[in-house]
Each structure stands twice: as C-alpha cells, then as structure tokens.
Amino acid sequence: MLRLIAARGGRLLARPPGAALTPVCSRAASHGEGEASTAVDMSRPLYWNRLDTPLPDRPFKDVLNEEDTALKQKEKGPWGQLTKEEKIAIYRLAFQRTYPEMKQSTGEWKTVVGGIFIFMGLTGLVVIWQSYYVYPPQPRTFAEDWQARQLQRMLDMRVNPIEGFSAKWDYEKGQWK
Amino acid sequence: LLIAVFHYYANCQQIMTRTPLASRSFSHGKVETDEEFDARWVTYFSKPDIDAWELKKGMNTLIGYDLVPEAKILDSALRACRRLDDLASAIRILEAVKDKSGPHKDIYPYLIQELGPTLAELGISTPEQLGIDKL
C-alpha cells in the first residue's frame, strides 16, 4: 500500500542529482506515452520507472502485437541466439526508460526558479501599488522638522544621559561626540 | 519487524573485501553475518520453480538495502531470470546494480567481470554491450 502511494507521489531517495523518480502509472501504456493522462486503475498491477525499485509489477507493454509476441516466443529459447536489436526490443517491451533515461535532468529547476522570480516580481508590483493607493498619509511626526525638534527635546530632557542617548551628545560643543 | 530492520541495517556494509562487520548490536538478537545474508539470498533466487512475482519482490527488496549485492547473489538472480524466460529483467538487474554502486565506480566492472562466465553462458548482454547505458 505504502509502495503504491510512494509510486504515485514519486518521493525518494534523496535525489542523487538527476535521479528522476517520476512514476509512470498509466494502464494504457501501449500507446507508448507513459505519462498519466487518464485516471489510473490502482486495483491492477502498475508500471513504474524507479531507480530504487527496478522491477515493476507489470511490463510496460502488456498488449502485444504479433511481432512482439513472436519476439517473446524467441525469448524462451537461448538468449545467445537473439540479435542485439532483438534484445533491446525485448527490454523496451518490459521497460519504458533505461536507468540513464530515468536519471536525465529535466530542466524543471529553471521553471521553478523562474516561477519564483515572477511571483516575487508580481509581489513587488503589488507592494508598490499599495504604497501609493492603500497606505494612509504619513503621521506628522515623521516630518523632518518634527524629527529635529523631537531630537532636541530628547537631548534637553537628558534621555539616557549615562550610557545611552544623551551620553553621546557633547553639551559643551553642541554636537555629537 | 523493527528488529529485522535493525539486523539488516547492522549487516548492511557489504564490502568486496569481506571484512567482518564491526559489531554494533542494535538489538539483543543475533546479528546475521555477511555470509549468512549472502547464502540466504542465493537460496532465495535458487528456488527452481521461482515465480515472476518472487523474482520481482526479491530484487526490489534487495535493491532497497543499503548495499551492492555480491556476485553470487546476482548470479542466482540472473539464473532465475533465465528460468522465467525474462531477459529484460536480467538486463534491468545489471542496470540497477550499477546504479546502486553510486560513486564507487569500480564495483560494477568488478561484478561484470565476476559474472562474465554466467553472462556468456546465459547469453545475457550487458547494458553497455547493447548501448543502452548511454542516453
């Protein structure tokens, strides 16, 4: 059960860089696409391409035409008599992707990073718009002259005169120490 | 099951040099030696009337372990493929084993060398010979 969920979710193994764990759970596999385009019947044995689980429950192509059936018959005999092409064909009947094909990098990261930047950009636009149209006027206490008078008042009050604020002001010279 | 998992984990350093596993008892049970582990798996695949499901289950489980199977286990598995008239799985097993070796690039050629006679006898081509080891 866990296996099936894992196969669906395509987890694993700390992706050794490039390890493609995309599960291929499609019943109608004979048309050779293998990407799940229709709802998968999970009550029947599944096919998958997984590095960590090399032998799936069923061969990739289980609906065989005449040529394939003849090939499977030949497979029952000595394998030394099969040509290289026949062996590759037999492999491809059973498996959709070879290990190197499974481990191919997909370039998906570019989509992800690109998407991140796009959404960050859109967010930036939203922030700019809202600072013009949404924020209320700034409080008057933010104004330059108000801030200056506030600072002067703090010094006059001797705020933190020992170690903090006013301690840093040189009262004789009228400037910061 | 947890104890079994610990046993496997404790046993999981399958090294070519066959140094005995440093004793790290994760449980109070007996720890299986490398030889026992190998023997068990060779026996599993040697079953004369092994069926396709058992082959798949065995291989998938074996590949799930944190080790590269010894040549004799693979030999037994390949012969099981022959009994099941399943050449594709035989080739797949070789691919899987190469992948399991990870960064240790010397393991796979060693195994192919060890399995040479068996591969020749059964007529199994390696992925390299078929050209499917490249994209």
Side-chain angles (χ1 to χ4, degrees):
Chain A
M1 184 60 174
L2 216 59
R3 267 276 151 88
L4 288 175
I5 294 169
R8 270 307 238 156
R11 58 109 190 166
L12 182 178
L13 308 192
R15 250 181 163 225
L21 302 177
T22 16
V24 176
C25 312
S26 172
R27 283 221 56 246
S30 289
H31 58 73
E33 254 133 73
E35 303 310 321
S37 51
T38 50
V40 175
D41 184 355
M42 300 280 276
S43 67
R44 311 286 283 274
L46 299 172
Y47 176 80
W48 59 72
N49 291 308
R50 286 188 70 107
L51 297 173
D52 63 338
T53 323
L55 304 179
D57 288 341
R58 69 162 177 87
F60 180 56
K61 263 199 194 166
D62 47 7
V63 178
L64 304 175
N65 60 31
E66 266 180 40
E67 202 184 316
D68 298 334
T69 319
L71 196 55
K72 292 301 270 179
Q73 270 304 112
K74 213 177 165 194
E75 193 184 3
K76 296 189 180 160
W79 291 338
Q81 286 174 5
L82 295 163
T83 67
K84 196 172 122 174
E85 288 69 31
E86 284 174 331
K87 288 181 182 176
I88 295 176
I90 289 173
Y91 180 92
R92 289 293 183 182
L93 283 177
F95 302 109
Q96 184 195 26
R97 296 202 189 126
T98 65
Y99 267 64
E101 285 166 5
M102 280 194 265
K103 294 170 91 149
Q104 250 174 342
S105 62
T106 58
E108 185 190 6
W109 69 274
K110 294 179 209 163
T111 309
V112 171
V113 171
I116 290 171
F117 287 143
I118 286 171
F119 280 105
M120 282 170 71
L122 286 173
T123 309
L125 289 174
V126 169
V127 165
I128 292 168
W129 176 86
Q130 85 176 353
S131 69
Y132 274 123
Y133 290 102
V134 174
Y135 292 163
Q138 269 198 341
R140 58 192 169 140
T141 54
F142 280 64
E144 271 296 323
D145 63 315
W146 186 288
Q147 288 283 323
R149 283 182 284 141
Q150 178 173 311
L151 190 143
Q152 183 59 57
R153 185 160 180 272
M154 282 169 74
L155 288 170
D156 293 343
M157 282 196 288
R158 304 294 195 270
V159 166
N160 292 337
I162 298 148
E163 302 235 350
F165 190 74
S166 303
K168 298 196 167 78
W169 179 262
D170 189 336
Y171 282 93
E172 265 103 63
K173 297 198 196 129
Q175 66 187 26
W176 290 109
K177 290 184 182 164
Chain B
L1 176 67
L2 211 57
I3 292 171
V5 168
F6 282 142
H7 277 159
Y8 294 147
Y9 189 86
N11 208 24
C12 77
Q13 335 282 327
Q14 275 278 4
I15 340 173
M16 289 305 162
T17 55
R18 324 279 271 90
T19 38
L21 194 61
S23 168
R24 292 179 69 194
S25 297
F26 289 93
S27 71
H28 297 295
K30 191 169 86 73
V31 176
E32 187 180 50
T33 66
D34 288 357
E35 290 74 21
E36 286 167 346
F37 177 87
D38 291 348
R40 196 159 51 78
W41 276 102
V42 167
T43 309
Y44 178 90
F45 287 115
S46 302
K47 191 173 141 189
D49 55 346
I50 193 171
D51 66 32
W53 185 91
E54 286 172 337
L55 172 67
K56 285 183 227 149
K57 175 64 181 171
M59 268 327 298
N60 291 338
T61 306
L62 191 58
I63 295 296
Y65 294 152
D66 183 16
L67 51 84
V68 181
E70 284 279 350
K72 59 166 113 84
I73 301 177
L74 298 173
D75 175 88
S76 189
L78 293 175
R79 289 183 187 281
C81 289
R82 175 66 267 191
R83 292 198 293 285
L84 289 163
D85 300 323
D86 191 353
L87 175 62
S89 293
I91 300 170
R92 189 70 149 186
I93 288 170
L94 296 177
E95 281 191 300
V97 149
K98 182 178 182 184
D99 181 58
K100 277 304 285 188
S101 313
H104 303 282
K105 300 278 184 236
D106 49 343
I107 297 180
Y108 180 69
Y110 166 77
L111 285 172
I112 294 296
Q113 182 196 313
E114 290 291 305
L115 291 170
T118 306
L119 296 175
E121 179 194 331
L122 300 177
I124 300 172
S125 300
T126 66
E128 290 70 33
Q129 286 165 346
L130 297 175
I132 60 173
D133 63 319
K134 304 271 177 290
L135 281 171

